[in-house]
Coordinates of all heavy atoms in Angstrom, one line a residue:
M23 N 0.9 -1.2 0.0 CA 0.0 0.0 0.0 C 0.9 1.2 0.0 O 1.8 1.4 0.8 CB -0.9 0.0 1.2 CG -1.9 1.2 1.3 SD -2.9 1.2 2.7 CE -3.7 -0.4 2.7
T24 N 0.6 2.2 -0.9 CA 1.4 3.3 -1.0 C 0.8 4.5 -0.1 O -0.4 4.4 0.3 CB 1.5 3.9 -2.4 OG1 0.2 4.3 -2.8 CG2 2.0 2.8 -3.3
T25 N 1.6 5.5 0.2 CA 1.1 6.6 0.9 C -0.1 7.3 0.2 O -1.1 7.7 0.7 CB 2.1 7.7 1.2 OG1 3.2 7.0 1.9 CG2 1.6 8.9 2.0
R26 N 0.1 7.3 -1.1 CA -1.0 8.0 -1.9 C -2.3 7.2 -1.8 O -3.3 7.9 -1.7 CB -0.5 8.0 -3.4 CG -1.5 8.6 -4.3 CD -1.1 8.6 -5.8 NE -2.1 9.1 -6.6 CZ -2.0 10.2 -7.4 NH1 -0.8 10.8 -7.4 NH2 -3.0 10.5 -8.1
S27 N -2.3 5.9 -1.8 CA -3.6 5.2 -1.7 C -4.2 5.4 -0.3 O -5.4 5.4 -0.2 CB -3.4 3.7 -2.0 OG -2.6 3.1 -1.1
V28 N -3.4 5.6 0.7 CA -4.0 5.8 2.0 C -4.7 7.1 2.1 O -5.8 7.1 2.7 CB -2.8 5.7 3.1 CG1 -3.4 6.2 4.4 CG2 -2.2 4.4 3.2
F29 N -4.2 8.1 1.5 CA -4.8 9.4 1.6 C -5.8 9.8 0.4 O -6.3 10.8 0.3 CB -3.8 10.5 1.7 CG -3.0 10.4 3.0 CD1 -1.7 9.8 3.1 CD2 -3.7 10.7 4.2 CE1 -1.1 9.7 4.3 CE2 -3.0 10.6 5.4 CZ -1.7 10.1 5.4
A30 N -5.9 8.9 -0.5 CA -6.8 9.1 -1.7 C -8.2 9.3 -1.2 O -8.7 8.6 -0.3 CB -6.7 8.0 -2.7
Y31 N -8.9 10.2 -1.8 CA -10.3 10.5 -1.4 C -11.1 10.7 -2.7 O -10.7 11.4 -3.5 CB -10.4 11.7 -0.5 CG -11.9 12.1 -0.2 CD1 -12.6 11.5 0.7 CD2 -12.4 13.2 -1.0 CE1 -13.9 11.8 0.9 CE2 -13.7 13.5 -0.8 CZ -14.5 12.8 0.2 OH -15.8 13.2 0.4
A32 N -12.3 10.1 -2.7 CA -13.2 10.3 -3.9 C -14.6 10.5 -3.3 O -15.0 9.6 -2.5 CB -13.1 9.1 -4.8
A33 N -15.2 11.5 -3.8 CA -16.6 11.7 -3.4 C -17.5 10.7 -4.2 O -17.2 10.4 -5.3 CB -17.0 13.1 -3.7
H34 N -18.5 10.3 -3.5 CA -19.5 9.4 -4.2 C -20.9 9.9 -4.0 O -21.2 10.7 -3.1 CB -19.4 8.0 -3.6 CG -18.1 7.3 -3.9 ND1 -16.9 7.6 -3.4 CD2 -17.8 6.3 -4.9 CE1 -16.0 6.8 -3.9 NE2 -16.5 6.1 -4.8
R35 N -21.8 9.4 -4.8 CA -23.3 9.8 -4.7 C -24.0 8.5 -4.7 O -23.7 7.5 -5.3 CB -23.6 10.6 -5.9 CG -25.1 10.8 -6.0 CD -25.5 11.5 -7.3 NE -24.9 12.8 -7.3 CZ -24.7 13.5 -8.5 NH1 -25.0 12.9 -9.6 NH2 -24.1 14.7 -8.4
I36 N -25.1 8.5 -3.8 CA -26.0 7.3 -3.8 C -27.4 7.8 -4.2 O -27.8 8.8 -3.9 CB -26.0 6.6 -2.4 CG1 -26.8 5.3 -2.5 CG2 -26.5 7.5 -1.4 CD1 -26.6 4.4 -1.3
R37 N -28.0 7.0 -5.1 CA -29.4 7.3 -5.5 C -30.1 6.0 -6.0 O -29.4 5.0 -6.1 CB -29.3 8.3 -6.7 CG -28.6 7.7 -7.9 CD -28.4 8.7 -9.0 NE -27.4 8.2 -9.9 CZ -27.0 8.7 -11.0 NH1 -27.5 9.9 -11.3 NH2 -26.2 8.2 -11.8
R38 N -31.4 6.1 -6.3 CA -32.1 5.0 -6.7 C -31.5 4.5 -8.1 O -31.3 5.3 -8.9 CB -33.6 5.3 -6.8 CG -34.4 4.0 -7.2 CD -35.9 4.3 -7.2 NE -36.4 5.4 -6.6 CZ -37.3 6.2 -7.1 NH1 -37.9 5.9 -8.3 NH2 -37.7 7.3 -6.5
H39 N -31.4 3.3 -8.2 CA -30.8 2.7 -9.5 C -31.8 3.0 -10.6 O -33.0 2.8 -10.4 CB -30.7 1.2 -9.4 CG -29.9 0.6 -10.5 ND1 -30.3 0.5 -11.8 CD2 -28.6 0.1 -10.5 CE1 -29.4 -0.1 -12.5 NE2 -28.4 -0.3 -11.7
P40 N -31.4 3.5 -11.7 CA -32.3 3.9 -12.8 C -33.1 2.8 -13.3 O -34.2 3.0 -13.8 CB -31.4 4.5 -13.9 CG -30.0 4.3 -13.5 CD -30.0 3.9 -12.0
A41 N -32.7 1.6 -13.2 CA -33.5 0.4 -13.7 C -34.3 -0.2 -12.5 O -35.0 -1.1 -12.7 CB -32.5 -0.6 -14.3
G42 N -34.2 0.4 -11.3 CA -34.9 -0.1 -10.2 C -36.2 0.6 -10.0 O -36.5 1.5 -10.6
E43 N -36.9 0.1 -9.0 CA -38.2 0.6 -8.7 C -38.4 0.4 -7.2 O -37.9 -0.5 -6.5 CB -39.3 0.1 -9.5 CG -39.4 -1.4 -9.4 CD -40.4 -2.1 -10.4 OE1 -40.9 -1.3 -11.3 OE2 -40.7 -3.2 -10.3
I44 N -39.3 1.3 -6.6 CA -39.7 1.1 -5.2 C -40.7 0.0 -5.1 O -41.6 -0.1 -5.9 CB -40.2 2.4 -4.6 CG1 -39.2 3.5 -4.7 CG2 -40.7 2.3 -3.2 CD1 -39.6 4.9 -4.3
T45 N -40.5 -0.8 -4.1 CA -41.5 -1.9 -3.8 C -42.0 -1.8 -2.4 O -41.3 -1.3 -1.5 CB -40.9 -3.3 -4.0 OG1 -39.8 -3.5 -3.2 CG2 -40.5 -3.6 -5.5
L46 N -43.2 -2.3 -2.2 CA -43.9 -2.2 -0.9 C -44.2 -3.6 -0.4 O -44.7 -4.4 -1.2 CB -45.2 -1.3 -1.1 CG -46.1 -1.4 0.1 CD1 -45.6 -0.7 1.3 CD2 -47.4 -0.7 -0.3
T47 N -44.0 -3.9 0.8 CA -44.5 -5.1 1.5 C -45.2 -4.6 2.7 O -45.0 -3.5 3.2 CB -43.4 -6.1 1.9 OG1 -42.5 -5.4 2.8 CG2 -42.6 -6.6 0.7
A48 N -46.2 -5.4 3.2 CA -46.9 -5.1 4.4 C -47.4 -6.3 5.1 O -47.4 -7.4 4.5 CB -48.1 -4.2 4.0
R49 N -47.6 -6.2 6.4 CA -48.1 -7.3 7.1 C -49.1 -6.7 8.2 O -48.8 -5.7 8.8 CB -47.1 -8.2 7.7 CG -46.3 -7.6 8.8 CD -45.3 -8.7 9.4 NE -44.5 -8.1 10.5 CZ -44.8 -8.3 11.8 NH1 -45.9 -9.1 12.1 NH2 -44.1 -7.8 12.8
C50 N -50.1 -7.4 8.4 CA -51.1 -7.0 9.4 C -50.5 -7.3 10.8 O -49.9 -8.4 11.1 CB -52.4 -7.8 9.2 SG -53.7 -7.4 10.5
L51 N -50.7 -6.4 11.7 CA -50.2 -6.6 13.1 C -51.3 -7.0 14.1 O -51.0 -7.0 15.3 CB -49.5 -5.3 13.6 CG -48.3 -4.8 12.8 CD1 -47.7 -3.5 13.3 CD2 -47.2 -5.9 12.8
A52 N -52.5 -7.3 13.6 CA -53.5 -7.8 14.6 C -53.0 -9.1 15.1 O -52.5 -10.0 14.5 CB -54.8 -8.0 13.8
P53 N -53.3 -9.3 16.4 CA -52.8 -10.5 17.1 C -53.3 -11.8 16.4 O -54.5 -11.9 16.1 CB -53.4 -10.5 18.5 CG -53.6 -9.0 18.7 CD -53.9 -8.4 17.4
G54 N -52.4 -12.7 16.0 CA -52.8 -14.0 15.5 C -53.0 -13.9 14.0 O -53.2 -14.9 13.3
C55 N -53.0 -12.7 13.3 CA -53.3 -12.6 11.9 C -51.9 -12.9 11.1 O -50.9 -12.3 11.6 CB -53.8 -11.3 11.6 SG -54.3 -11.1 9.8
R56 N -52.0 -13.6 10.1 CA -50.8 -13.9 9.3 C -50.8 -13.2 7.9 O -50.1 -13.6 7.1 CB -50.6 -15.4 9.2 CG -50.4 -16.1 10.4 CD -50.2 -17.6 10.2 NE -49.6 -18.2 11.4 CZ -49.0 -19.3 11.4 NH1 -49.0 -20.1 10.3 NH2 -48.5 -19.8 12.5
W57 N -51.8 -12.3 7.7 CA -51.9 -11.7 6.4 C -50.7 -10.9 6.1 O -50.2 -10.1 6.9 CB -53.2 -10.7 6.4 CG -53.4 -10.1 5.0 CD1 -54.1 -10.6 4.0 CD2 -52.9 -8.9 4.6 NE1 -54.0 -9.8 2.9 CE2 -53.3 -8.7 3.3 CE3 -52.1 -7.9 5.1 CZ2 -53.0 -7.6 2.5 CZ3 -51.8 -6.8 4.4 CH2 -52.2 -6.6 3.1
E58 N -50.2 -11.1 4.9 CA -49.0 -10.3 4.4 C -49.2 -9.9 2.9 O -49.8 -10.7 2.2 CB -47.7 -11.1 4.5 CG -47.3 -11.4 5.9 CD -45.9 -12.1 6.0 OE1 -45.4 -12.5 4.9 OE2 -45.4 -12.2 7.0
L59 N -48.7 -8.8 2.6 CA -48.7 -8.4 1.2 C -47.4 -8.7 0.6 O -46.3 -8.3 1.1 CB -49.0 -6.8 1.1 CG -48.9 -6.2 -0.2 CD1 -50.0 -6.6 -1.1 CD2 -48.9 -4.7 -0.1
D60 N -47.4 -9.5 -0.5 CA -46.2 -9.7 -1.2 C -45.6 -8.4 -1.8 O -46.4 -7.5 -2.1 CB -46.4 -10.8 -2.3 CG -46.7 -12.2 -1.8 OD1 -46.2 -12.5 -0.7 OD2 -47.3 -12.9 -2.5
A61 N -44.4 -8.4 -2.1 CA -43.7 -7.2 -2.6 C -44.4 -6.8 -3.9 O -44.7 -7.6 -4.8 CB -42.2 -7.5 -2.8
T62 N -44.7 -5.5 -4.0 CA -45.3 -5.0 -5.2 C -44.7 -3.6 -5.5 O -44.4 -2.9 -4.6 CB -46.9 -4.9 -5.1 OG1 -47.4 -4.4 -6.3 CG2 -47.3 -4.0 -3.9
S63 N -44.6 -3.3 -6.8 CA -44.2 -2.0 -7.2 C -45.4 -1.1 -7.5 O -45.2 0.1 -7.7 CB -43.3 -2.1 -8.5 OG -44.0 -2.7 -9.5
D64 N -46.6 -1.6 -7.4 CA -47.8 -0.9 -7.6 C -48.2 -0.4 -6.2 O -48.9 -1.1 -5.5 CB -48.9 -1.7 -8.2 CG -50.1 -0.9 -8.6 OD1 -50.3 0.2 -8.0 OD2 -50.9 -1.4 -9.4
L65 N -47.7 0.8 -5.8 CA -47.9 1.2 -4.4 C -49.4 1.5 -4.1 O -49.8 1.2 -3.0 CB -47.0 2.5 -4.2 CG -45.5 2.3 -4.5 CD1 -44.8 3.6 -4.1 CD2 -44.9 1.2 -3.7
A66 N -50.1 2.0 -5.1 CA -51.5 2.3 -4.8 C -52.2 0.9 -4.6 O -53.1 0.9 -3.7 CB -52.1 3.0 -6.0
A67 N -51.9 -0.1 -5.4 CA -52.6 -1.4 -5.2 C -52.2 -2.0 -3.8 O -53.0 -2.6 -3.2 CB -52.1 -2.3 -6.3
G68 N -51.0 -1.7 -3.3 CA -50.6 -2.2 -2.0 C -51.4 -1.5 -0.9 O -51.9 -2.1 0.0
D69 N -51.6 -0.2 -1.1 CA -52.5 0.5 -0.1 C -53.9 0.0 -0.2 O -54.5 -0.3 0.9 CB -52.5 2.0 -0.5 CG -51.2 2.7 -0.2 OD1 -50.4 2.1 0.5 OD2 -51.1 3.9 -0.6
E70 N -54.4 -0.3 -1.3 CA -55.7 -0.8 -1.5 C -55.9 -2.2 -0.9 O -56.9 -2.5 -0.2 CB -56.1 -0.9 -3.0 CG -56.5 0.4 -3.6 CD -57.8 0.9 -3.2 OE1 -58.7 0.1 -2.8 OE2 -57.9 2.2 -3.1
A71 N -54.8 -3.0 -1.0 CA -54.9 -4.4 -0.4 C -55.0 -4.3 1.1 O -55.7 -5.0 1.7 CB -53.6 -5.1 -0.8
C72 N -54.2 -3.4 1.7 CA -54.3 -3.2 3.2 C -55.7 -2.7 3.6 O -56.3 -3.3 4.6 CB -53.2 -2.1 3.7 SG -51.5 -2.7 3.5
M73 N -56.2 -1.8 2.9 CA -57.6 -1.3 3.2 C -58.6 -2.4 3.0 O -59.6 -2.5 3.8 CB -57.9 0.0 2.4 CG -57.0 1.1 2.9 SD -57.4 2.7 2.1 CE -56.7 2.5 0.5
A74 N -58.5 -3.2 2.0 CA -59.4 -4.3 1.7 C -59.3 -5.3 2.9 O -60.4 -5.8 3.3 CB -59.1 -4.9 0.4
H75 N -58.1 -5.5 3.3 CA -58.0 -6.5 4.5 C -58.7 -6.0 5.7 O -59.4 -6.7 6.4 CB -56.5 -6.7 4.8 CG -56.2 -7.7 5.9 ND1 -56.5 -9.0 5.8 CD2 -55.9 -7.4 7.2 CE1 -56.2 -9.6 7.0 NE2 -55.8 -8.6 7.8
T76 N -58.6 -4.6 6.0 CA -59.3 -4.1 7.1 C -60.8 -4.2 6.9 O -61.5 -4.5 7.8 CB -58.9 -2.6 7.3 OG1 -57.5 -2.6 7.6 CG2 -59.6 -2.0 8.5
G77 N -61.2 -3.9 5.7 CA -62.7 -3.9 5.4 C -63.3 -5.3 5.6 O -64.4 -5.5 6.1
L78 N -62.5 -6.4 5.3 CA -63.0 -7.7 5.5 C -62.8 -8.3 6.9 O -63.4 -9.2 7.3 CB -62.3 -8.6 4.5 CG -62.6 -8.4 3.0 CD1 -61.7 -9.2 2.1 CD2 -64.0 -8.7 2.7
N79 N -61.9 -7.6 7.6 CA -61.5 -8.1 9.0 C -61.5 -6.9 10.0 O -60.4 -6.3 10.3 CB -60.1 -8.7 9.0 CG -60.0 -9.9 8.0 OD1 -60.4 -11.0 8.3 ND2 -59.5 -9.6 6.8
P80 N -62.7 -6.5 10.5 CA -62.7 -5.3 11.4 C -61.8 -5.5 12.5 O -61.6 -6.6 13.1 CB -64.2 -5.3 11.8 CG -64.9 -6.0 10.7 CD -64.0 -7.0 10.2
G81 N -61.1 -4.5 12.9 CA -60.1 -4.5 13.9 C -58.7 -4.8 13.4 O -57.7 -4.6 14.1
H82 N -58.5 -5.2 12.2 CA -57.3 -5.4 11.6 C -56.8 -4.1 10.9 O -56.8 -4.1 9.6 CB -57.2 -6.6 10.6 CG -57.5 -7.9 11.3 ND1 -56.8 -9.0 11.0 CD2 -58.4 -8.3 12.3 CE1 -57.2 -10.0 11.8 NE2 -58.1 -9.6 12.6
D83 N -56.5 -3.1 11.7 CA -56.3 -1.8 11.1 C -54.9 -1.3 11.2 O -54.6 -0.1 11.0 CB -57.3 -0.8 11.7 CG -57.2 -0.7 13.2 OD1 -56.3 -1.4 13.8 OD2 -58.0 0.0 13.8
T84 N -54.0 -2.1 11.7 CA -52.6 -1.7 11.9 C -51.6 -2.6 11.1 O -51.8 -3.8 11.2 CB -52.2 -1.8 13.4 OG1 -53.2 -1.0 14.2 CG2 -50.9 -1.2 13.7
F85 N -50.8 -2.0 10.4 CA -49.9 -2.7 9.5 C -48.5 -2.2 9.6 O -48.2 -1.0 9.9 CB -50.3 -2.5 8.0 CG -51.7 -2.9 7.7 CD1 -52.8 -2.1 7.9 CD2 -51.9 -4.2 7.2 CE1 -54.1 -2.6 7.6 CE2 -53.2 -4.7 6.9 CZ -54.3 -3.8 7.1
E86 N -47.6 -3.2 9.4 CA -46.2 -2.8 9.3 C -45.9 -2.8 7.8 O -46.2 -3.7 7.1 CB -45.2 -3.8 9.9 CG -43.8 -3.5 9.7 CD -42.9 -4.6 10.2 OE1 -43.0 -5.8 9.7 OE2 -42.1 -4.3 11.1
R87 N -45.5 -1.6 7.3 CA -45.2 -1.5 5.8 C -43.8 -1.1 5.7 O -43.2 -0.4 6.4 CB -46.1 -0.3 5.2 CG -47.6 -0.7 5.3 CD -48.4 0.2 4.4 NE -48.3 1.6 4.7 CZ -48.8 2.5 3.9 NH1 -49.5 2.2 2.8 NH2 -48.6 3.8 4.1
T88 N -43.2 -1.7 4.6 CA -41.8 -1.5 4.3 C -41.7 -1.2 2.8 O -42.1 -1.9 2.0 CB -41.0 -2.8 4.6 OG1 -41.2 -3.1 6.0 CG2 -39.4 -2.5 4.4
W89 N -41.0 -0.1 2.6 CA -40.6 0.3 1.2 C -39.2 0.0 0.9 O -38.3 0.2 1.8 CB -40.9 1.8 0.9 CG -42.3 2.2 1.0 CD1 -43.1 2.3 -0.2 CD2 -43.1 2.5 2.1 NE1 -44.4 2.7 0.3 CE2 -44.4 2.8 1.6 CE3 -42.9 2.6 3.5 CZ2 -45.4 3.2 2.5 CZ3 -43.9 2.9 4.3 CH2 -45.2 3.2 3.8
S90 N -38.9 -0.5 -0.2 CA -37.5 -0.9 -0.6 C -37.1 -0.4 -1.9 O -38.0 -0.3 -2.9 CB -37.4 -2.5 -0.5 OG -36.2 -2.9 -0.8
E91 N -35.9 -0.2 -2.2 CA -35.4 0.2 -3.5 C -34.0 -0.4 -3.7 O -33.3 -0.7 -2.7 CB -35.3 1.7 -3.6 CG -34.2 2.4 -2.8 CD -34.1 3.9 -3.1 OE1 -35.0 4.5 -3.7 OE2 -33.0 4.4 -2.8
V92 N -33.6 -0.4 -4.9 CA -32.2 -0.8 -5.3 C -31.5 0.5 -5.5 O -32.0 1.4 -6.2 CB -32.2 -1.7 -6.5 CG1 -30.8 -1.9 -7.0 CG2 -33.0 -3.0 -6.3
S93 N -30.4 0.6 -4.8 CA -29.6 1.9 -4.9 C -28.3 1.7 -5.7 O -27.8 0.6 -5.9 CB -29.2 2.4 -3.5 OG -30.4 2.7 -2.8
L94 N -27.8 2.7 -6.3 CA -26.6 2.7 -7.1 C -25.6 3.8 -6.5 O -26.1 4.9 -6.4 CB -27.0 3.0 -8.5 CG -25.8 3.1 -9.5 CD1 -25.1 1.8 -9.7 CD2 -26.2 3.7 -10.9
V95 N -24.4 3.4 -6.3 CA -23.4 4.3 -5.8 C -22.5 4.6 -7.0 O -22.0 3.6 -7.6 CB -22.6 3.8 -4.6 CG1 -21.4 4.7 -4.3 CG2 -23.5 3.6 -3.4
T96 N -22.3 5.9 -7.3 CA -21.4 6.3 -8.4 C -20.3 7.2 -7.9 O -20.5 8.0 -7.0 CB -22.1 6.9 -9.6 OG1 -22.9 8.0 -9.0 CG2 -23.0 5.9 -10.2
R97 N -19.1 7.1 -8.4 CA -18.0 7.9 -8.0 C -18.2 9.2 -8.8 O -18.4 9.2 -10.0 CB -16.7 7.3 -8.4 CG -15.5 8.1 -8.0 CD -14.2 7.3 -8.2 NE -13.1 8.2 -7.9 CZ -11.9 7.7 -7.6 NH1 -11.7 6.4 -7.6 NH2 -10.9 8.5 -7.3
L98 N -18.1 10.4 -8.1 CA -18.2 11.7 -8.8 C -16.9 12.0 -9.5 O -15.8 11.8 -8.9 CB -18.6 12.7 -7.8 CG -19.8 12.5 -7.0 CD1 -20.0 13.6 -6.0 CD2 -21.0 12.5 -8.0
D99 N -16.9 12.6 -10.6 CA -15.7 13.1 -11.2 C -15.5 14.6 -10.6 O -16.3 15.1 -9.9 CB -15.7 13.1 -12.7 CG -16.8 14.0 -13.3 OD1 -17.2 15.0 -12.7 OD2 -17.2 13.7 -14.5
R100 N -14.4 15.2 -11.1 CA -14.0 16.5 -10.5 C -15.1 17.5 -10.7 O -15.3 18.4 -9.8 CB -12.7 17.0 -11.1 CG -11.6 16.1 -10.6 CD -10.3 16.6 -11.2 NE -9.2 15.8 -10.6 CZ -8.1 16.3 -10.2 NH1 -7.9 17.5 -10.3 NH2 -7.2 15.5 -9.7
R101 N -15.8 17.5 -11.8 CA -16.9 18.5 -12.0 C -18.0 18.4 -11.0 O -18.7 19.4 -10.7 CB -17.5 18.3 -13.5 CG -16.5 18.6 -14.5 CD -17.1 18.3 -15.8 NE -17.7 17.0 -15.8 CZ -17.7 16.1 -16.8 NH1 -17.4 16.6 -18.0 NH2 -18.2 14.9 -16.7
D102 N -18.3 17.1 -10.5 CA -19.4 16.9 -9.7 C -19.0 16.9 -8.2 O -19.8 16.5 -7.4 CB -20.0 15.5 -10.0 CG -20.5 15.5 -11.4 OD1 -20.9 16.6 -11.9 OD2 -20.6 14.5 -12.0
K103 N -17.8 17.2 -7.8 CA -17.4 17.1 -6.4 C -18.3 17.8 -5.5 O -18.8 18.9 -5.8 CB -16.0 17.7 -6.3 CG -14.9 16.8 -6.8 CD -14.2 16.2 -5.7 CE -13.0 15.4 -6.3 NZ -12.6 14.3 -5.6
L104 N -18.5 17.2 -4.4 CA -19.4 17.8 -3.3 C -18.6 19.0 -2.7 O -17.4 19.0 -2.6 CB -19.7 16.8 -2.2 CG -20.5 15.6 -2.7 CD1 -20.6 14.5 -1.6 CD2 -21.8 16.0 -3.2
P105 N -19.3 20.0 -2.2 CA -18.6 21.1 -1.6 C -17.9 20.6 -0.3 O -18.4 19.7 0.4 CB -19.7 22.1 -1.3 CG -21.0 21.3 -1.4 CD -20.7 20.2 -2.2
E106 N -16.8 21.3 0.0 CA -16.1 20.9 1.2 C -16.9 21.2 2.4 O -17.7 22.2 2.5 CB -14.8 21.8 1.3 CG -13.8 21.6 0.2 CD -13.2 20.1 0.3 OE1 -13.0 19.7 1.4 OE2 -13.0 19.5 -0.8
A107 N -16.8 20.4 3.5 CA -17.5 20.6 4.7 C -16.9 21.7 5.4 O -15.7 22.0 5.4 CB -17.4 19.3 5.6
E108 N -17.8 22.5 6.1 CA -17.3 23.7 6.9 C -17.0 23.3 8.3 O -17.5 22.5 8.8 CB -18.3 24.8 6.8 CG -18.5 25.3 5.4 CD -19.6 26.4 5.3 OE1 -19.9 27.0 6.4 OE2 -20.0 26.7 4.2
Ligands
LIG203 ZN1 -55.2 -9.0 9.8

């Protein structure tokens, strides 16, 4: 390892992968209920599924919902360098 590699610094950016999409999963938190929503990229349909579950099962009105995405980290070139921290 050289001294140069020890002190090398490169700024990076993280963002949603351009080929990726946000997906939603959910599960009902009512005691004893095993209802779960499989991962979907149709977020409105996911919301509808939760509301439909509540409509069919009064009292099942609390859900754990998780949104997920694929992220991409890219190294910035000199033109895109982040401003220095103050
Ligand atoms: Zn339920």
Side-chain angles (χ1 to χ4, degrees):
M23 182 181 305
T24 66
T25 302
R26 183 183 172 117
S27 66
V28 170
F29 295 105
Y31 171 79
H34 291 77
R35 170 185 297 156
I36 187 167
R37 61 186 168 178
R38 187 177 341 140
H39 194 288
E43 55 191 9
I44 296 172
T45 57
L46 168 68
T47 58
R49 71 180 182 96
C50 177
L51 296 179
C55 185
R56 294 179 164 197
W57 183 88
E58 291 185 353
L59 174 69
D60 289 334
T62 179
S63 60
D64 187 340
L65 304 182
D69 289 346
E70 284 289 329
C72 292
M73 292 185 282
H75 179 71
T76 300
L78 295 171
N79 303 278
H82 292 223
D83 57 1
T84 305
F85 299 85
E86 176 185 60
R87 298 196 299 170
T88 303
W89 290 265
S90 179
E91 72 173 18
V92 175
S93 299
L94 176 67
V95 173
T96 53
R97 183 175 176 157
L98 300 175
D99 64 25
R100 290 180 178 224
R101 294 175 309 212
D102 299 331
K103 284 255 187 212
L104 297 172
E106 295 293 325
E108 294 180 16

